[in-house]
Short mmCIF file of all heavy atoms in Angstrom, two decimals:
data_model
loop_
_atom_site.label_atom_id
_atom_site.label_comp_id
_atom_site.label_asym_id
_atom_site.label_seq_id
_atom_site.Cartn_x
_atom_site.Cartn_y
_atom_site.Cartn_z
N ARG N 455 -24.29 18.06 -25.20
CA ARG N 455 -23.97 16.68 -25.53
C ARG N 455 -24.22 16.39 -27.01
O ARG N 455 -23.56 15.53 -27.60
CB ARG N 455 -24.79 15.71 -24.66
CG ARG N 455 -24.42 15.81 -23.18
CD ARG N 455 -24.77 14.53 -22.44
NE ARG N 455 -26.19 14.31 -22.37
CZ ARG N 455 -26.95 14.53 -21.29
NH1 ARG N 455 -26.39 15.00 -20.18
NH2 ARG N 455 -28.24 14.28 -21.30
N ALA N 456 -25.16 17.08 -27.61
CA ALA N 456 -25.46 16.87 -29.03
C ALA N 456 -24.34 17.37 -29.93
O ALA N 456 -24.31 17.05 -31.13
CB ALA N 456 -26.76 17.58 -29.41
N ARG N 457 -23.40 18.16 -29.37
CA ARG N 457 -22.27 18.68 -30.18
C ARG N 457 -20.94 18.02 -29.82
O ARG N 457 -19.89 18.48 -30.27
CB ARG N 457 -22.16 20.20 -30.00
CG ARG N 457 -23.38 20.99 -30.47
CD ARG N 457 -23.07 22.48 -30.52
NE ARG N 457 -22.68 23.01 -29.23
CZ ARG N 457 -23.53 23.49 -28.31
NH1 ARG N 457 -24.83 23.46 -28.55
NH2 ARG N 457 -23.10 23.98 -27.16
N LEU N 458 -20.98 16.97 -29.03
CA LEU N 458 -19.73 16.32 -28.62
C LEU N 458 -19.09 15.60 -29.79
O LEU N 458 -19.73 15.26 -30.78
CB LEU N 458 -20.01 15.33 -27.50
CG LEU N 458 -20.46 15.91 -26.16
CD1 LEU N 458 -20.80 14.78 -25.19
CD2 LEU N 458 -19.40 16.83 -25.56
N ARG N 459 -17.79 15.34 -29.64
CA ARG N 459 -17.07 14.58 -30.67
C ARG N 459 -17.64 13.18 -30.79
O ARG N 459 -18.29 12.67 -29.88
CB ARG N 459 -15.59 14.50 -30.32
CG ARG N 459 -15.30 13.77 -29.00
CD ARG N 459 -13.86 13.30 -28.94
NE ARG N 459 -13.48 12.73 -27.66
CZ ARG N 459 -13.77 11.50 -27.25
NH1 ARG N 459 -14.49 10.70 -28.02
NH2 ARG N 459 -13.35 11.06 -26.08
N PRO N 460 -17.35 12.48 -31.91
CA PRO N 460 -17.81 11.08 -32.04
C PRO N 460 -17.00 10.16 -31.13
O PRO N 460 -16.01 10.57 -30.52
CB PRO N 460 -17.55 10.75 -33.52
CG PRO N 460 -17.28 12.05 -34.19
CD PRO N 460 -16.73 12.97 -33.14
N ALA N 461 -17.43 8.91 -31.07
CA ALA N 461 -16.67 7.90 -30.31
C ALA N 461 -15.25 7.83 -30.85
O ALA N 461 -15.02 7.92 -32.06
CB ALA N 461 -17.37 6.55 -30.42
N ASP N 462 -14.30 7.66 -29.94
CA ASP N 462 -12.88 7.80 -30.29
C ASP N 462 -12.23 6.45 -30.60
O ASP N 462 -11.56 5.87 -29.76
CB ASP N 462 -12.15 8.48 -29.12
CG ASP N 462 -10.65 8.51 -29.32
OD1 ASP N 462 -10.21 8.67 -30.47
OD2 ASP N 462 -9.93 8.35 -28.32
N GLY N 463 -12.43 5.94 -31.80
CA GLY N 463 -11.69 4.77 -32.30
C GLY N 463 -11.56 3.63 -31.31
O GLY N 463 -10.47 3.11 -31.09
N ILE N 464 -12.66 3.21 -30.70
CA ILE N 464 -12.61 2.17 -29.68
C ILE N 464 -12.37 0.82 -30.34
O ILE N 464 -12.94 0.53 -31.38
CB ILE N 464 -13.94 2.13 -28.89
CG1 ILE N 464 -14.33 3.55 -28.46
CG2 ILE N 464 -13.83 1.24 -27.68
CD1 ILE N 464 -15.78 3.67 -28.05
N GLU N 465 -11.54 -0.01 -29.72
CA GLU N 465 -11.18 -1.30 -30.28
C GLU N 465 -12.38 -2.10 -30.76
O GLU N 465 -13.16 -2.60 -29.95
CB GLU N 465 -10.45 -2.15 -29.23
CG GLU N 465 -9.07 -1.67 -28.88
CD GLU N 465 -8.46 -2.55 -27.80
OE1 GLU N 465 -9.18 -3.39 -27.21
OE2 GLU N 465 -7.26 -2.41 -27.53
N ASP N 466 -12.56 -2.21 -32.08
CA ASP N 466 -13.55 -3.10 -32.69
C ASP N 466 -14.96 -2.87 -32.18
O ASP N 466 -15.80 -3.77 -32.19
CB ASP N 466 -13.16 -4.57 -32.45
CG ASP N 466 -11.76 -4.87 -32.98
OD1 ASP N 466 -11.49 -4.52 -34.14
OD2 ASP N 466 -10.94 -5.41 -32.23
N TYR N 467 -15.24 -1.64 -31.75
CA TYR N 467 -16.56 -1.29 -31.20
C TYR N 467 -17.44 -0.77 -32.33
O TYR N 467 -16.97 -0.17 -33.29
CB TYR N 467 -16.37 -0.23 -30.12
CG TYR N 467 -17.63 0.33 -29.50
CD1 TYR N 467 -18.35 -0.42 -28.58
CD2 TYR N 467 -18.08 1.60 -29.82
CE1 TYR N 467 -19.48 0.09 -27.99
CE2 TYR N 467 -19.22 2.13 -29.23
CZ TYR N 467 -19.92 1.37 -28.32
OH TYR N 467 -21.05 1.89 -27.73
N GLU N 468 -18.76 -1.00 -32.21
CA GLU N 468 -19.72 -0.52 -33.20
C GLU N 468 -20.52 0.62 -32.60
O GLU N 468 -21.45 0.39 -31.82
CB GLU N 468 -20.68 -1.66 -33.61
CG GLU N 468 -20.00 -2.83 -34.29
CD GLU N 468 -19.82 -2.63 -35.78
OE1 GLU N 468 -20.15 -1.54 -36.27
OE2 GLU N 468 -19.35 -3.56 -36.44
N PRO N 469 -20.18 1.90 -32.91
CA PRO N 469 -21.00 2.99 -32.40
C PRO N 469 -22.38 2.98 -33.06
O PRO N 469 -22.61 2.25 -34.02
CB PRO N 469 -20.21 4.24 -32.79
CG PRO N 469 -19.39 3.81 -33.96
CD PRO N 469 -19.09 2.35 -33.76
N CYS N 470 -23.27 3.81 -32.52
CA CYS N 470 -24.63 3.83 -33.08
C CYS N 470 -24.59 4.12 -34.58
O CYS N 470 -25.26 3.49 -35.38
CB CYS N 470 -25.47 4.88 -32.37
SG CYS N 470 -25.89 4.42 -30.68
N ALA N 471 -23.80 5.09 -34.95
CA ALA N 471 -23.63 5.43 -36.37
C ALA N 471 -22.33 6.21 -36.47
O ALA N 471 -21.94 6.91 -35.53
CB ALA N 471 -24.79 6.26 -36.88
N PRO N 472 -21.61 6.09 -37.59
CA PRO N 472 -20.33 6.80 -37.71
C PRO N 472 -20.53 8.31 -37.68
O PRO N 472 -21.53 8.84 -38.19
CB PRO N 472 -19.80 6.33 -39.07
CG PRO N 472 -20.99 5.82 -39.81
CD PRO N 472 -21.93 5.29 -38.78
N ASP N 473 -19.58 9.00 -37.06
CA ASP N 473 -19.54 10.47 -37.02
C ASP N 473 -20.75 11.10 -36.33
O ASP N 473 -21.08 12.26 -36.57
CB ASP N 473 -19.42 11.04 -38.45
CG ASP N 473 -18.17 10.54 -39.15
OD1 ASP N 473 -17.13 10.43 -38.47
OD2 ASP N 473 -18.23 10.27 -40.35
N THR N 474 -21.41 10.33 -35.47
CA THR N 474 -22.48 10.91 -34.66
C THR N 474 -21.91 11.28 -33.30
O THR N 474 -20.90 10.73 -32.87
CB THR N 474 -23.64 9.92 -34.49
OG1 THR N 474 -23.13 8.72 -33.89
CG2 THR N 474 -24.28 9.60 -35.83
N PRO N 475 -22.54 12.23 -32.60
CA PRO N 475 -21.99 12.64 -31.29
C PRO N 475 -21.90 11.46 -30.32
O PRO N 475 -22.69 10.51 -30.37
CB PRO N 475 -23.01 13.69 -30.81
CG PRO N 475 -23.65 14.19 -32.05
CD PRO N 475 -23.71 13.03 -32.99
N LEU N 476 -20.96 11.57 -29.45
CA LEU N 476 -20.72 10.55 -28.44
C LEU N 476 -21.96 10.34 -27.58
O LEU N 476 -22.61 11.30 -27.15
CB LEU N 476 -19.56 11.01 -27.55
CG LEU N 476 -18.98 10.02 -26.55
CD1 LEU N 476 -18.07 9.03 -27.25
CD2 LEU N 476 -18.19 10.78 -25.47
N THR N 477 -22.31 9.08 -27.33
CA THR N 477 -23.37 8.76 -26.39
C THR N 477 -22.77 8.30 -25.08
O THR N 477 -21.58 8.02 -24.98
CB THR N 477 -24.28 7.65 -26.95
OG1 THR N 477 -23.52 6.43 -26.99
CG2 THR N 477 -24.79 7.99 -28.35
N GLU N 478 -23.62 8.18 -24.07
CA GLU N 478 -23.11 7.72 -22.77
C GLU N 478 -22.58 6.30 -22.87
O GLU N 478 -21.59 5.95 -22.23
CB GLU N 478 -24.22 7.81 -21.72
CG GLU N 478 -23.71 7.50 -20.31
CD GLU N 478 -24.75 7.76 -19.24
OE1 GLU N 478 -25.92 7.97 -19.59
OE2 GLU N 478 -24.37 7.76 -18.05
N LEU N 479 -23.22 5.46 -23.70
CA LEU N 479 -22.74 4.10 -23.88
C LEU N 479 -21.39 4.08 -24.57
O LEU N 479 -20.50 3.29 -24.23
CB LEU N 479 -23.76 3.29 -24.68
CG LEU N 479 -23.69 1.77 -24.53
CD1 LEU N 479 -23.87 1.34 -23.09
CD2 LEU N 479 -24.73 1.10 -25.43
N ASP N 480 -21.22 4.97 -25.57
CA ASP N 480 -19.91 5.09 -26.22
C ASP N 480 -18.84 5.50 -25.20
O ASP N 480 -17.72 4.98 -25.22
CB ASP N 480 -19.95 6.13 -27.34
CG ASP N 480 -20.91 5.76 -28.46
OD1 ASP N 480 -21.20 4.56 -28.62
OD2 ASP N 480 -21.37 6.68 -29.17
N LEU N 481 -19.21 6.43 -24.35
CA LEU N 481 -18.26 6.89 -23.32
C LEU N 481 -17.89 5.73 -22.39
O LEU N 481 -16.72 5.57 -22.02
CB LEU N 481 -18.88 8.04 -22.53
CG LEU N 481 -18.05 8.58 -21.36
CD1 LEU N 481 -16.68 9.04 -21.80
CD2 LEU N 481 -18.81 9.72 -20.66
N LEU N 482 -18.87 4.91 -22.03
CA LEU N 482 -18.56 3.74 -21.20
C LEU N 482 -17.61 2.79 -21.93
O LEU N 482 -16.68 2.25 -21.33
CB LEU N 482 -19.85 3.01 -20.84
CG LEU N 482 -20.64 3.55 -19.66
CD1 LEU N 482 -22.02 2.92 -19.62
CD2 LEU N 482 -19.91 3.30 -18.36
N ALA N 483 -17.82 2.60 -23.22
CA ALA N 483 -16.95 1.71 -23.99
C ALA N 483 -15.53 2.25 -24.03
O ALA N 483 -14.55 1.50 -23.85
CB ALA N 483 -17.50 1.53 -25.40
N GLU N 484 -15.37 3.55 -24.27
CA GLU N 484 -14.04 4.15 -24.26
C GLU N 484 -13.37 3.95 -22.92
O GLU N 484 -12.18 3.61 -22.83
CB GLU N 484 -14.12 5.66 -24.55
CG GLU N 484 -14.31 6.01 -26.00
CD GLU N 484 -14.17 7.52 -26.23
OE1 GLU N 484 -13.42 8.17 -25.47
OE2 GLU N 484 -14.80 8.03 -27.17
N THR N 485 -14.13 4.14 -21.85
CA THR N 485 -13.56 4.05 -20.51
C THR N 485 -13.18 2.62 -20.16
O THR N 485 -12.17 2.38 -19.49
CB THR N 485 -14.56 4.61 -19.48
OG1 THR N 485 -15.06 5.87 -19.93
CG2 THR N 485 -13.89 4.82 -18.13
N VAL N 486 -13.96 1.65 -20.62
CA VAL N 486 -13.63 0.24 -20.38
C VAL N 486 -12.28 -0.09 -20.98
O VAL N 486 -11.41 -0.71 -20.34
CB VAL N 486 -14.73 -0.68 -20.96
CG1 VAL N 486 -14.23 -2.13 -21.05
CG2 VAL N 486 -15.98 -0.62 -20.10
N VAL N 487 -12.07 0.31 -22.24
CA VAL N 487 -10.80 -0.02 -22.92
C VAL N 487 -9.64 0.71 -22.23
O VAL N 487 -8.58 0.12 -21.98
CB VAL N 487 -10.87 0.34 -24.41
CG1 VAL N 487 -9.52 0.09 -25.07
CG2 VAL N 487 -11.94 -0.49 -25.10
N ALA N 488 -9.85 1.99 -21.93
CA ALA N 488 -8.78 2.74 -21.26
C ALA N 488 -8.44 2.12 -19.92
O ALA N 488 -7.26 1.98 -19.56
CB ALA N 488 -9.20 4.20 -21.09
N ALA N 489 -9.46 1.71 -19.15
CA ALA N 489 -9.21 1.10 -17.84
C ALA N 489 -8.47 -0.22 -18.00
O ALA N 489 -7.55 -0.53 -17.23
CB ALA N 489 -10.53 0.89 -17.11
N ARG N 490 -8.85 -1.01 -18.99
CA ARG N 490 -8.17 -2.30 -19.19
C ARG N 490 -6.72 -2.10 -19.55
O ARG N 490 -5.82 -2.77 -19.03
CB ARG N 490 -8.90 -3.11 -20.27
CG ARG N 490 -8.23 -4.42 -20.61
CD ARG N 490 -9.17 -5.34 -21.38
NE ARG N 490 -9.72 -4.76 -22.57
CZ ARG N 490 -9.06 -4.62 -23.73
NH1 ARG N 490 -7.80 -5.03 -23.82
NH2 ARG N 490 -9.62 -4.09 -24.79
N LEU N 491 -6.44 -1.15 -20.46
CA LEU N 491 -5.06 -0.90 -20.87
C LEU N 491 -4.25 -0.23 -19.78
O LEU N 491 -3.02 -0.30 -19.78
CB LEU N 491 -5.03 -0.05 -22.15
CG LEU N 491 -5.62 -0.74 -23.39
CD1 LEU N 491 -5.62 0.21 -24.58
CD2 LEU N 491 -4.84 -2.00 -23.73
N ALA N 492 -4.94 0.42 -18.85
CA ALA N 492 -4.25 1.05 -17.72
C ALA N 492 -4.13 0.08 -16.53
O ALA N 492 -3.73 0.49 -15.44
CB ALA N 492 -5.00 2.30 -17.28
N ASP N 493 -4.47 -1.20 -16.76
CA ASP N 493 -4.42 -2.22 -15.71
C ASP N 493 -5.37 -1.94 -14.56
O ASP N 493 -5.15 -2.40 -13.43
CB ASP N 493 -2.98 -2.38 -15.17
CG ASP N 493 -2.06 -3.02 -16.20
OD1 ASP N 493 -2.56 -3.82 -17.01
OD2 ASP N 493 -0.87 -2.69 -16.20
N GLU N 494 -6.44 -1.21 -14.85
CA GLU N 494 -7.51 -1.01 -13.86
C GLU N 494 -8.63 -2.00 -14.20
O GLU N 494 -9.76 -1.62 -14.50
CB GLU N 494 -8.01 0.44 -13.92
CG GLU N 494 -6.99 1.47 -13.51
CD GLU N 494 -6.82 1.55 -12.00
OE1 GLU N 494 -7.57 0.86 -11.28
OE2 GLU N 494 -5.94 2.30 -11.53
N ARG N 495 -8.31 -3.29 -14.13
CA ARG N 495 -9.24 -4.29 -14.64
C ARG N 495 -10.49 -4.43 -13.79
O ARG N 495 -11.58 -4.68 -14.31
CB ARG N 495 -8.52 -5.64 -14.76
CG ARG N 495 -7.40 -5.63 -15.79
CD ARG N 495 -6.82 -7.02 -16.00
NE ARG N 495 -5.72 -7.00 -16.95
CZ ARG N 495 -4.44 -6.87 -16.63
NH1 ARG N 495 -4.10 -6.75 -15.35
NH2 ARG N 495 -3.51 -6.86 -17.55
N ASP N 496 -10.36 -4.29 -12.48
CA ASP N 496 -11.56 -4.35 -11.64
C ASP N 496 -12.54 -3.25 -12.00
O ASP N 496 -13.75 -3.48 -12.08
CB ASP N 496 -11.16 -4.22 -10.16
CG ASP N 496 -10.70 -5.54 -9.57
OD1 ASP N 496 -11.45 -6.52 -9.69
OD2 ASP N 496 -9.61 -5.60 -8.99
N ARG N 497 -12.01 -2.04 -12.23
CA ARG N 497 -12.88 -0.93 -12.61
C ARG N 497 -13.49 -1.18 -13.98
O ARG N 497 -14.67 -0.88 -14.22
CB ARG N 497 -12.09 0.38 -12.61
CG ARG N 497 -11.46 0.74 -11.28
CD ARG N 497 -12.52 0.96 -10.20
NE ARG N 497 -13.41 2.05 -10.53
CZ ARG N 497 -13.17 3.34 -10.23
NH1 ARG N 497 -12.07 3.65 -9.57
NH2 ARG N 497 -14.03 4.28 -10.55
N ALA N 498 -12.70 -1.71 -14.89
CA ALA N 498 -13.21 -2.00 -16.23
C ALA N 498 -14.34 -3.02 -16.16
O ALA N 498 -15.37 -2.89 -16.84
CB ALA N 498 -12.09 -2.51 -17.13
N LEU N 499 -14.17 -4.05 -15.33
CA LEU N 499 -15.20 -5.08 -15.20
C LEU N 499 -16.50 -4.47 -14.65
O LEU N 499 -17.60 -4.78 -15.13
CB LEU N 499 -14.71 -6.20 -14.28
CG LEU N 499 -15.58 -7.44 -14.19
CD1 LEU N 499 -15.70 -8.14 -15.54
CD2 LEU N 499 -15.01 -8.40 -13.15
N ALA N 500 -16.37 -3.59 -13.66
CA ALA N 500 -17.55 -2.94 -13.10
C ALA N 500 -18.24 -2.08 -14.16
O ALA N 500 -19.47 -2.01 -14.21
CB ALA N 500 -17.15 -2.09 -11.90
N LEU N 501 -17.47 -1.43 -15.01
CA LEU N 501 -18.05 -0.59 -16.06
C LEU N 501 -18.80 -1.43 -17.09
O LEU N 501 -19.83 -1.00 -17.62
CB LEU N 501 -16.96 0.24 -16.73
CG LEU N 501 -16.37 1.37 -15.89
CD1 LEU N 501 -15.10 1.92 -16.54
CD2 LEU N 501 -17.39 2.49 -15.69
N THR N 502 -18.29 -2.62 -17.41
CA THR N 502 -19.02 -3.47 -18.36
C THR N 502 -20.36 -3.88 -17.77
O THR N 502 -21.37 -3.96 -18.49
CB THR N 502 -18.21 -4.73 -18.73
OG1 THR N 502 -17.95 -5.51 -17.55
CG2 THR N 502 -16.90 -4.36 -19.41
N ARG N 503 -20.39 -4.14 -16.48
CA ARG N 503 -21.66 -4.50 -15.84
C ARG N 503 -22.64 -3.33 -15.94
O ARG N 503 -23.83 -3.51 -16.25
CB ARG N 503 -21.42 -4.87 -14.38
CG ARG N 503 -22.68 -5.35 -13.66
CD ARG N 503 -22.42 -5.67 -12.19
NE ARG N 503 -21.35 -6.65 -12.04
CZ ARG N 503 -20.16 -6.39 -11.55
NH1 ARG N 503 -19.85 -5.16 -11.17
NH2 ARG N 503 -19.26 -7.34 -11.43
N ARG N 504 -22.13 -2.14 -15.68
CA ARG N 504 -22.99 -0.94 -15.77
C ARG N 504 -23.53 -0.76 -17.18
O ARG N 504 -24.72 -0.44 -17.38
CB ARG N 504 -22.18 0.28 -15.34
CG ARG N 504 -22.88 1.61 -15.49
CD ARG N 504 -22.02 2.73 -14.92
NE ARG N 504 -22.44 4.03 -15.38
CZ ARG N 504 -21.82 5.18 -15.08
NH1 ARG N 504 -20.73 5.14 -14.30
NH2 ARG N 504 -22.26 6.33 -15.54
N ALA N 505 -22.68 -0.98 -18.17
CA ALA N 505 -23.11 -0.82 -19.56
C ALA N 505 -24.16 -1.86 -19.93
O ALA N 505 -25.19 -1.53 -20.55
CB ALA N 505 -21.91 -0.92 -20.49
N LEU N 506 -23.94 -3.11 -19.54
CA LEU N 506 -24.87 -4.17 -19.91
C LEU N 506 -26.22 -4.01 -19.22
O LEU N 506 -27.25 -4.42 -19.75
CB LEU N 506 -24.25 -5.53 -19.60
CG LEU N 506 -23.09 -5.91 -20.54
CD1 LEU N 506 -22.31 -7.10 -20.00
CD2 LEU N 506 -23.64 -6.22 -21.94
N GLU N 507 -26.23 -3.40 -18.04
CA GLU N 507 -27.49 -3.12 -17.37
C GLU N 507 -28.29 -2.07 -18.11
O GLU N 507 -29.53 -2.03 -18.04
CB GLU N 507 -27.23 -2.67 -15.92
CG GLU N 507 -26.75 -3.78 -15.00
CD GLU N 507 -26.29 -3.27 -13.65
OE1 GLU N 507 -26.20 -2.02 -13.50
OE2 GLU N 507 -25.98 -4.10 -12.77
N ALA N 508 -27.58 -1.21 -18.87
CA ALA N 508 -28.25 -0.12 -19.58
C ALA N 508 -28.66 -0.49 -21.01
O ALA N 508 -29.42 0.23 -21.65
CB ALA N 508 -27.34 1.10 -19.63
N ILE N 509 -28.16 -1.63 -21.52
CA ILE N 509 -28.38 -2.00 -22.92
C ILE N 509 -29.59 -2.92 -23.05
O ILE N 509 -29.76 -3.86 -22.26
CB ILE N 509 -27.14 -2.71 -23.50
CG1 ILE N 509 -25.98 -1.73 -23.65
CG2 ILE N 509 -27.44 -3.34 -24.86
CD1 ILE N 509 -24.71 -2.38 -24.17
#
Side-chain angles (χ1 to χ4, degrees):
R455 295 204 293 258
R457 298 192 300 272
L458 293 175
R459 62 160 173 79
D462 173 36
I464 311 163
E465 289 178 350
D466 304 310
Y467 176 76
E468 297 275 4
C470 289
D473 301 322
T474 57
L476 189 78
T477 68
E478 187 172 11
L479 201 58
D480 297 337
L481 176 57
L482 278 168
E484 281 189 30
T485 312
V486 165
V487 176
R490 177 164 55 77
L491 294 177
D493 291 329
E494 295 282 355
R495 295 187 182 93
D496 278 308
R497 301 297 299 273
L499 188 62
L501 289 168
T502 60
R503 184 182 303 111
R504 175 176 163 183
L506 289 167
E507 288 171 352
I509 291 178

